[in-house]
Structures are given as C-alpha cells and as structure tokens.
Amino acid sequence: MTIQKTGKQILVFLLFLFLLFFCLMKGKDVGQIVEIAVSASFPSIVLGLLMAGTFHVSEGLNLRILLRAMGHPVSLAQGMKYAYTGFFFSSITPSSTGGQPMQLYMMKKDNIELSHGSLALLMELAGFQAVVFIFEILAAILVPAMGIEMPLSVKVLAVAGFLMNAVFVLFLLTVIFSEKMGKKLSGLAERLIPKIPFIKEEKKQEWIVKTEAGFEEFHACAHMMKRHKKDIVKMLMISTVQIVCWFGVPYMVYLALGYHGVPFLHLFLLQVLVYMAGALLPLPGAMGISEFAFIQLFGGIYSGSSMTAAVLLSRGISFYFLLAWSGLMLILIYAVKKRR
C-alpha cells in the first residue's frame, strides 16, 4: 500500500468518523455529554485503556511465539510492530483487507519468509477467531438464560454474524486438519473459478494459483500445530486473555460513569453481541454498526446523555484509542528507522 493510497484511506475513514459523530450528537445536549464524559472516574478509564492495550500486546506476543517456532529470532518489539501494523491498516480499510498484506511487507523487510509470515498470521487469526467463537457460543446460551432482551434488528445482525463466524471457523478447522477435504475443496474451486463470467482468463488463473497456495498453507499450519502443541496452547491462552480484556472495556466505562449493580458477565455478554452484530458488514473497524448495536443493547442500562457518553467512551477506548495508538507507534518506528 503506497503512502498516497494510505492517505486516501485515512481521509475516507475520517469522513466516516465525522458523519458518525454528527449522527451521534444530532439533537443531543453536547455540553452535557462532554460534562458526563469528563467527570468519568479517571482510575477506571485508565484501567480500561490498559485492558484495551492488551489487544496489541497479545497479538505481538502470539506472532513472536509463532515466528520463533519457525526459527525466526523475533523480538517482542518486532512482534509489537507487526501487531500495530495489522490493527492500523485493518481498521482503515474495508473488510480489514489491508492489515495482513502490510504485516507481510513488514516481515519481509525483517528477512522473514513470506510463507512463514503468512502461516503465522493465519494461525494467529485462526486462534483468535476460535476463541471468539467459543465466547459467542457462550453468549448464545447465557443471553436467553439471563433474560437479556435484544431488539429485532440487532438480533438479526448478531445471528448473521454468529453464523458467518461459525462457517469461517468450521472451514478453517476442516481444511487445516483434513488434508483429504482440503484437496476436495481445492479441486472444487479449480472447477468453479473458470466458469465465473465477466472475468478475464488471466485473472481466473491467478485465482486458481492463489487458491492452491492457500490450501497448501492450511496443511502446513496443521503440521506445525502438531509439532508445536505447547506453543499453540500458549497462543490460545494469550488470545483468551486478549478477548476477555477487550470485551471487558464497557464494564470499566460503566464503573467510570458511576454506575453499579450490573455484573461484569452481563456487560461482557452484551459486548460479545455487539461484536457479533458488527462482524457481517464490511465497514472499516465496524464503524457505525458497532455504535448502533451498542446503543440498542445497552439502552436498558444507560439513558439520555449518559448513553451517548458511554458509547463514545467505550468505542473510544476499545477501538479509536487503539487505532490512534497503533498509528502513533508506526510513525515513531518509521522516524527511528529513518534516523538510523
């Protein structure tokens, strides 16, 4: 991704952000919202920021573990660089398409083979999605049992997001652990791609080659998992801590705004539903849809200006702060490297 293209993506992102804030603030008492947000408990906000920060640290640690298992002496600083790169470029591009290519670019500059880099990223993604899916199953069981009500619009989005993630995780596990099934799916793709209309033959051949390479990567992933079981368990444990802290941010905001009485699990499950609802639409960082789902689901907990302040603080900490921090760290990394 060139600097010019990155600049355009950032401008589009900022335009979305402006429209989002305009919609959130329209017809509201902005002064009161700001007053509520400013008066939030500082220790709780700081703890929320630290919990959100574990997202980057966890990904950096996991990539370090996986790349070291492949024989690359990656430092924690390098792992963090790849984590910051992935989050920043995933957040400013639709469907998070820009993150992994830029991470591979960074790894290549550190003399890490593309095959190893892509394998590490695939395994990190598979681990993260598998743990998220476990929490989604937990939410599907506990939300009705706890009597948590969902508006129809959010319920439809959450169910669609759950099914999409279920298919994705099932596909990953099937292809990774069943070489026979992987070959069947690869053969099916090779037969179907040439039949796609309105696509040039050169492009179709390119897709076939990429599909074959992708399935080979899945099988390599399975072999590595068998050889490095302890590292995989360690990665899954780190991913679990990562997700618990990340989805726990709304609870810290709840405490920061002076509220009490609703347990951590309740708010944690609501945040899982917010994530599920935002998983389906290809918007940068699930912008707009996450805020909409948050307002709909947390409407029984907050009211009026407190609701707007809560969504701004919660999303501000769990997404916009992480985006700004990753961008700042990448600028610092670039500046230090240029100086050297």
Side-chain angles (χ1 to χ4, degrees):
M1 187 180 288
T2 62
I3 294 176
Q4 291 83 359
K5 192 171 181 180
T6 302
K8 288 179 181 178
Q9 294 283 8
I10 292 173
L11 287 175
V12 172
F13 177 87
L14 292 175
L15 176 61
F16 269 106
L17 185 61
F18 172 78
L19 293 173
L20 175 61
F21 271 79
F22 177 79
C23 292
L24 285 174
M25 296 297 188
K26 188 178 179 181
K28 307 286 177 58
D29 188 339
V30 178
Q32 190 178 21
I33 294 169
V34 172
E35 185 180 342
I36 292 171
V38 170
S39 64
S41 169
F42 183 72
S44 295
I45 293 296
V46 170
L47 188 54
L49 290 169
L50 291 174
M51 288 171 66
T54 60
F55 190 93
H56 290 324
V57 176
S58 299
E59 184 172 352
L61 284 171
N62 280 340
L63 289 175
R64 180 174 181 264
I65 289 169
L66 294 169
L67 289 169
R68 277 179 168 260
M70 297 178 199
H72 300 283
V74 173
S75 65
L76 179 59
Q78 285 177 299
M80 294 302 299
K81 178 176 68 175
Y82 307 144
Y84 292 136
T85 301
F87 191 91
F88 181 80
F89 287 97
S90 291
S91 299
I92 65 171
T93 52
S95 301
S96 303
T97 52
Q100 290 195 347
M102 288 304 296
Q103 285 175 302
L104 287 173
Y105 172 76
M106 289 289 191
M107 290 178 185
K108 184 64 177 174
K109 294 191 78 172
D110 289 339
N111 298 316
I112 295 172
E113 298 172 33
L114 288 176
S115 58
H116 288 178
S118 57
L119 182 57
L121 292 173
L122 172 64
M123 292 177 69
E124 199 277 331
L125 174 63
F128 178 86
Q129 288 300 126
V131 175
V132 166
F133 186 59
I134 290 171
F135 283 118
E136 289 180 350
I137 294 173
L138 188 68
I141 295 170
L142 293 181
V143 165
M146 294 172 65
I148 299 174
E149 295 183 2
M150 284 190 288
L152 181 60
S153 55
V154 176
K155 187 180 290 186
V156 170
L157 288 170
V159 170
F162 176 84
L163 293 175
M164 185 181 74
N165 200 23
V167 170
F168 178 71
V169 171
L170 184 62
F171 171 79
L172 280 178
L173 294 177
T174 301
V175 174
I176 286 174
F177 293 108
S178 175
E179 192 165 349
K180 186 177 179 181
M181 182 60 70
K183 287 180 179 178
K184 285 184 178 180
L185 290 173
S186 179
L188 179 63
E190 289 174 20
R191 290 194 298 273
L192 292 177
I193 289 173
K195 297 178 181 179
I196 300 175
F198 312 116
I199 303 294
K200 293 181 180 179
E201 288 302 320
E202 295 82 3
K203 195 69 176 177
K204 291 178 183 179
Q205 288 302 316
E206 184 182 330
W207 287 358
I208 290 172
V209 171
K210 286 184 177 180
T211 301
E212 290 175 350
F215 280 106
E216 287 177 7
E217 201 169 272
F218 285 133
H219 301 321
C221 183
H223 293 310
M224 185 180 171
M225 284 181 172
K226 291 173 184 176
R227 291 197 309 269
H228 302 280
K229 292 177 182 177
K230 288 183 179 179
D231 290 327
I232 300 303
V233 171
K234 194 185 299 182
M235 181 193 73
L236 292 173
M237 289 174 65
I238 291 172
S239 293
T240 302
V241 173
Q242 176 188 28
I243 293 162
V244 169
C245 288
W246 195 37
F247 287 173
V249 168
Y251 182 72
M252 300 315 303
V253 171
Y254 175 76
L255 296 180
L257 293 177
Y259 286 82
H260 300 280
V262 179
F264 175 86
L265 180 61
H266 187 113
L267 297 182
F268 179 85
L269 292 174
L270 290 182
Q271 184 56 38
V272 174
L273 294 174
V274 170
Y275 181 87
M276 289 165 63
L280 187 65
L281 301 180
L283 297 170
M287 287 178 68
I289 187 64
S290 292
E291 285 78 5
F292 167 77
F294 188 98
I295 291 170
Q296 293 294 311
L297 289 168
F298 286 77
I301 295 169
Y302 301 104
S303 60
S305 297
S306 294
M307 179 74 259
T308 307
V311 69
L312 290 174
L313 286 172
S314 183
R315 282 286 287 168
I317 293 172
S318 62
F319 176 64
Y320 299 104
F321 161 72
L322 291 180
L323 175 60
W325 182 256
S326 60
L328 176 62
M329 294 307 294
L330 288 177
I331 291 170
L332 289 175
I333 290 168
Y334 177 79
V336 170
K337 194 170 184 179
K338 190 175 181 182
R339 189 175 179 180
R340 287 177 178 174

